[in-house]
Amino acid sequence: MLAHFKSFDGVSLPAGVKIYIVNPHAMPGAAPVFIAQAQADSEYSGAYTVDVRNVALRVAVTDYANRTTLAGTIKRMFKRGRRGDLVATFADDGNDYLLDCVVVTPPSAESETAYTVVLQTGMSAWRRQVADTDSMSLTLTGGSKTISVGGNDETRLSVTLKSTGGASVGYTYQRLYQLPAVAGVNNGVRPWRITLDTAALVSASKMQADCDDLRIMVNGAETPRWIADANTSETKIWFNAPIGMGYALKLKTAIAGAGAITMVEFLVTAQNKEALRRMPAAGIIVHGTEWISYRGKIVNATTCALKARERGAYGTTLQAHNANDMFSFIPAAIVMRYGNSTVGNPATDDPHYDDAKPVFDLAASDNGKWVYTSATKFFDAAQPNRPGAWTPILQRLGDVSNTYDVKANAESGDPALGGMLGCFTRNGQTANETGRAGWQMMAACGINRVSMTLRKWRNSTRWPAIAGCQRSADGAAWYSVFNEALPTTVDSWIDITKSAVSVAAGSRYLFFGLDGKIQKLADALAMIEALTTTVEFVTANLPSGSLLAEVGSFSMDLQIKNQTNGDVISLDYPLLLHRDFALDGEERTVTLDGVNLIEALRLDDEGRSVWIRLAPGDNVIEVSSADVGTLEATFSWYARRL
């Protein structure tokens, strides 16, 4: 069957030239993978690798008078290494199909009017240039639709969902939480608190009294949250927020308060260039009330810009932006949802739910300080990497010095940050101990002040040079915050209170414990321990979060299934009404207002490379849920042929 060349990389066939695809139906070969067996024949693994596909073009110049000019056009069109879509019209159905190709052999002259070009592609099948579409309206528990797929090879389903009426079940309310990162500070993943008047929501029958239905979504996936003081005017909601590096960009060209945009242009400065180079290729920026999602960047000598995808992303309010306005980068789309009367505590059926729960007191702490009390922990041996945990630091010569996390190093009791240094016996002789025994914590935002109730103890005249709290900017060079002298009595704990002791600017590390030398003396031992601690941070290096207004929500908890072959995907996300939630099966992206929400999707078979496969012919697509409300589903696909 003939395939007539139409264009390459958007450049159409020039007048006076004819191009024929010599081998439109050639197929790439495969290399089966065999597994060698000891003293036996190799066995086929069931896997194979696919070779690249060569596509040969025959170029004929029919305008002999302009052959030299046309030769130059052809050479520019098929410059070695150029990548683009090769589009051809197939004579049997009159449709245009494409292959994503790279030029490997530029025009090779056979004569003044004849050339050969070779391209390569990784695609086995030609893909229709224009997608086929179909749609359906869904109510109650969903429905099904038969779509007819052309071509003669398997293809991929894309789906766009739009809720036009909320469901009667599920999470019926949501609030967007705006958390732009601080420019130049990388706070990483950090425990974060939202304060909410849940008592008012409970009274309005919008939330369960125990707040079990209050959930936090981060970039489309539900994340563990921990609640203190439920059903009060100041309920504390903690979760681990991916804050990351912050960037600030000064606007160059004003943006009107309404209307679509394709670019957000910033001043061409060294600061803006550096920020754009470091920012991810897709994400969200904010100024004032409006979120703008972007995908793609332009950074060169004359332009600093982001390619805008959606204004007012996530239902935020459009506004005018003036030249020199400062936009901030938002590392994560955070959504709070609630209003589901049927769900229970999310931790009940998940034995690992609290693996990443912050160790400090959730009721007494906030984003600017972490409070450790006798009712909480400093360190969890079963889960040593829990957020807020102090890290044990032990350097010693002998086997007596140690760290401990229970008061007085007892078998059980209240928590403590304990360190001990002691002489030890070697070859029957008492030996000096030189070491460092204590606990360390780090905060990228910087540490401002520290408060402690602590105590110290000795059983001899021996005492190290450093006993107390130290600070560091880099974890290498340490300086004193406070240092405790030799206790006044022997074999007796001496209680000490340190209130709001300032920590020098630039400090990101704290150490509490003992450091130094214990001169040899039989059984000489020195101990120090903190029983309660409050660490206050440099709040200027922490973002300022804001909880936006409550809106109605469609709790999208549904399945999409191809009944013809059994492929299933599940979606779980609090969908805004009248907004497009798009699953692009070709690009493998899940987006709402152009923002990546891939975590909202789950495959029934994680090993499947295509989300939902479509075979040539009829395919029955089913959308099902406990209640879809009123939902519009638009299906699209590109027919493929071999």
Side-chain angles (χ1 to χ4, degrees):
M1 198 66 62
L2 293 177
H4 302 288
F5 176 92
K6 188 173 183 180
S7 66
F8 176 64
D9 194 23
V11 180
S12 299
L13 182 69
V17 176
K18 289 185 178 181
I19 300 179
Y20 306 91
I21 301 174
V22 177
N23 56 344
H25 304 290
M27 294 290 291
V33 178
F34 286 85
I35 300 174
Q37 305 294 313
Q39 300 181 357
D41 294 336
S42 296
E43 293 185 4
Y44 178 46
S45 67
Y48 58 89
T49 59
V50 180
D51 297 333
V52 295
R53 173 181 185 174
N54 289 316
V55 182
L57 306 182
R58 176 79 172 178
V59 182
V61 176
T62 58
D63 183 356
Y64 187 80
N66 294 305
R67 63 190 183 282
T68 303
T69 300
L70 290 172
T73 300
I74 294 166
K75 291 175 182 178
R76 288 192 300 272
M77 189 174 181
F78 295 105
K79 191 174 182 180
R80 185 178 58 237
R82 184 172 183 175
R83 178 184 176 181
D85 288 336
L86 172 66
V87 181
T89 303
F90 278 71
D92 59 340
D93 62 11
N95 289 317
D96 293 340
Y97 294 83
L98 62 82
L99 292 174
D100 178 10
C101 293
V102 176
V103 177
V104 293
T105 303
S108 175
E110 298 177 11
S111 67
E112 288 184 308
T113 58
Y115 300 86
T116 300
V117 179
V118 178
L119 299 87
Q120 287 187 340
T121 180
M123 299 172 65
S124 297
W126 290 83
R127 198 199 80 179
R128 272 281 297 273
Q129 189 178 30
V130 178
D132 293 305
T133 62
D134 208 336
S135 62
M136 63 186 299
S137 297
L138 300 158
T139 58
L140 301 175
T141 59
S144 60
K145 178 82 173 184
T146 300
I147 61 175
S148 181
V149 177
N152 57 20
D153 194 29
E154 187 178 86
T155 190
R156 306 167 183 185
L157 179 68
S158 297
V159 184
T160 299
L161 301 171
K162 179 184 289 185
S163 176
T164 57
S168 60
V169 298
Y171 300 90
T172 52
Y173 304 98
Q174 66 169 283
R175 298 182 71 174
L176 192 62
Y177 188 68
Q178 184 168 295
L179 191 63
V182 178
V185 181
N186 188 351
N187 281 292
V189 177
R190 179 183 174 87
W192 198 256
R193 192 185 94 176
I194 299 175
T195 303
L196 180 68
D197 183 354
T198 59
L201 295 171
V202 173
S203 297
S205 299
K206 292 182 175 181
M207 184 179 291
Q208 297 181 30
D210 53 13
C211 297
D212 277 355
D213 60 324
L214 193 158
R215 306 298 173 88
I216 299 293
M217 311 287 289
V218 176
N219 289 335
E222 184 175 320
T223 192
R225 88 291 180 270
W226 301 275
I227 295 175
D229 302 329
N231 196 12
T232 68
S233 61
E234 291 193 354
T235 298
K236 290 86 174 175
I237 304 148
W238 285 92
F239 63 102
N240 294 318
I243 300 173
M245 178 64 77
Y247 306 97
L249 299 156
K250 187 172 286 189
L251 193 64
K252 175 184 178 182
T253 306
I255 300 173
I261 58 174
T262 58
M263 292 283 181
V264 182
E265 292 191 72
F266 304 100
L267 293 174
V268 182
T269 65
Q271 179 180 346
N272 283 347
K273 285 183 178 181
E274 181 68 14
L276 286 171
R277 289 190 180 104
R278 291 177 176 271
M279 286 169 63
I284 306 168
I285 55 174
V286 61
H287 171 254
T289 63
E290 183 179 9
W291 290 21
I292 299 176
S293 67
Y294 72 88
R295 187 173 186 180
K297 304 179 288 185
I298 301 176
V299 186
N300 55 44
T302 60
T303 305
C304 286
L306 293 172
K307 298 179 181 179
R309 296 199 69 183
E310 187 78 27
R311 294 196 65 179
Y314 280 83
T316 53
T317 303
L318 273 67
Q319 72 167 73
H321 308 283
N322 299 317
N324 294 317
D325 281 346
M326 193 70 76
F327 275 81
S328 297
F329 173 67
I330 295 181
I334 301 170
V335 177
M336 176 191 297
R337 65 175 178 175
Y338 51 91
N340 190 333
S341 61
T342 63
V343 296
N345 188 331
T348 301
D349 299 322
D350 185 353
H352 300 290
Y353 195 86
D354 289 340
D355 285 0
K357 182 179 180 179
V359 299
F360 46 77
D361 188 324
L362 301 185
S365 301
D366 57 39
N367 295 321
K369 68 176 184 294
W370 294 346
V371 179
Y372 304 81
T373 70
S374 60
T376 61
K377 295 181 177 182
F378 293 95
F379 173 77
D380 184 353
Q383 300 290 341
N385 295 318
R386 285 175 58 184
W390 291 66
T391 301
I393 302 296
L394 181 61
Q395 301 165 4
R396 62 183 186 178
L397 300 177
D399 56 3
V400 174
S401 301
N402 217 330
T403 61
Y404 58 90
D405 58 5
V406 178
K407 184 178 179 181
N409 199 23
E411 183 177 1
S412 62
D414 292 341
L417 289 178
M420 62 172 71
L421 286 178
C423 295
F424 58 97
T425 301
R426 176 174 290 168
N427 299 325
Q429 300 293 320
T430 300
N432 296 332
E433 174 62 286
T434 300
R436 184 174 174 88
W439 298 82
Q440 181 175 302
M441 74 167 300
M442 183 268 185
C445 63
I447 299 163
N448 183 34
R449 296 190 300 187
V450 62
S451 301
M452 284 184 169
T453 60
L454 58 110
R455 57 185 197 163
K456 56 186 178 180
W457 180 94
R458 66 182 174 94
N459 66 357
S460 72
T461 58
R462 304 300 192 243
W463 191 250
I466 296 171
C469 188
Q470 293 181 294
R471 61 177 176 84
S472 175
D474 56 8
W478 293 90
Y479 307 93
S480 178
V481 175
F482 61 82
N483 195 28
E484 289 300 314
L486 178 78
T488 54
T489 59
V490 177
D491 292 329
S492 192
W493 286 100
I494 306 297
D495 294 325
I496 305 159
T497 298
K498 298 290 184 180
S499 298
V501 181
S502 295
V503 178
S507 300
R508 299 190 303 143
Y509 294 83
L510 281 183
F511 170 82
F512 177 80
L514 303 172
D515 190 356
K517 186 174 184 179
I518 301 290
Q519 290 281 4
K520 59 183 179 181
L521 181 66
D523 300 324
L525 185 66
M527 300 173 68
I528 193 169
E529 59 187 27
L531 305 178
T532 65
T533 299
T534 298
V535 180
E536 300 178 56
F537 304 107
V538 179
T539 54
N541 291 334
L542 290 172
S544 178
S546 55
L547 195 58
L548 305 188
E550 177 184 275
V551 295
S553 174
F554 164 52
S555 181
M556 183 177 62
D557 184 4
L558 54 80
Q559 283 190 343
I560 302 175
K561 180 178 181 179
N562 185 348
Q563 293 182 344
T564 305
N565 60 18
D567 288 355
V568 177
I569 60 173
S570 299
L571 298 172
D572 184 8
Y573 192 73
L575 187 61
L576 286 169
L577 301 180
H578 307 288
R579 313 292 286 199
D580 286 342
F581 187 91
L583 296 89
D584 189 327
E586 295 287 339
E587 298 294 331
R588 291 176 62 84
T589 60
V590 181
T591 57
L592 172 64
D593 290 349
V595 179
N596 178 28
L597 294 175
I598 190 66
E599 294 295 330
L601 178 145
R602 293 288 182 273
L603 290 175
D604 62 313
D605 176 8
E606 295 294 341
R608 192 169 66 241
S609 61
V610 177
W611 292 343
I612 292 186
R613 298 167 293 179
L614 299 174
D618 288 346
N619 292 256
V620 180
I621 307 302
E622 177 187 57
V623 180
S624 60
S625 175
D627 186 353
V628 298
T630 304
L631 188 66
E632 300 295 326
T634 301
F635 307 112
S636 63
W637 63 95
Y638 293 93
R640 282 172 160 82
R641 63 177 298 157
L642 300 171

